[in-house]
Amino acid sequence: TLITIVAVGLAILLRALGLVGLAFLVVRRLWLLLLVIGVVLAFKAGVHLFYGLARYRLSVEPLLMMLAVFGWQQLRGRLRQRG
């Protein structure tokens, strides 16, 4: 259905922006923040492997959204510098 398509598209977009945010954290060498994010994501990924329920992913969603916002801000800043 249309709602499923929109939800999946938004999830893919936000995950892609989160990857951009992670890349910019590496470029800016914010190692402490990367360590904290890495530990939380690794722990939750381990839990999600054994208990594949969405409720275990729910506590990581705010962290993933912050990464997506950071990625969006960095991309927007880069595009403004070009234009």
Side-chain angles (χ1 to χ4, degrees), residues 55-83:
R55 69 179 175 166
Y56 295 111
R57 190 187 70 224
L58 193 59
S59 62
V60 179
E61 287 296 324
L63 179 64
L64 296 175
M65 293 300 263
M66 285 188 274
L67 280 174
V69 168
F70 184 72
W72 171 251
Q73 286 179 336
Q74 296 302 313
L75 282 177
R76 191 177 66 178
R78 295 277 172 119
L79 290 175
R80 283 187 178 175
Q81 287 177 354
R82 286 170 113 192

Side-chain angles (χ1 to χ4, degrees), residues 1-82:
T1 65
L2 181 62
I3 293 174
T4 304
I5 293 170
V6 170
V8 169
L10 182 63
I12 291 171
L13 175 67
L14 289 175
R15 296 308 180 257
L17 284 172
L19 288 175
V20 170
L22 274 176
F24 276 111
L25 286 176
V26 170
V27 168
R28 290 179 177 245
R29 296 185 174 148
L30 298 172
W31 303 122
L32 184 60
L33 189 56
L34 278 169
L35 178 67
V36 170
I37 290 170
V39 168
V40 171
L41 288 180
F43 174 73
K44 289 300 180 174
V47 169
H48 196 63
L49 284 174
F50 296 105
Y51 305 103
L53 301 172
R55 69 179 175 166
Y56 295 111
R57 190 187 70 224
L58 193 59
S59 62
V60 179
E61 287 296 324
L63 179 64
L64 296 175
M65 293 300 263
M66 285 188 274
L67 280 174
V69 168
F70 184 72
W72 171 251
Q73 286 179 336
Q74 296 302 313
L75 282 177
R76 191 177 66 178
R78 295 277 172 119
L79 290 175
R80 283 187 178 175
Q81 287 177 354
R82 286 170 113 192

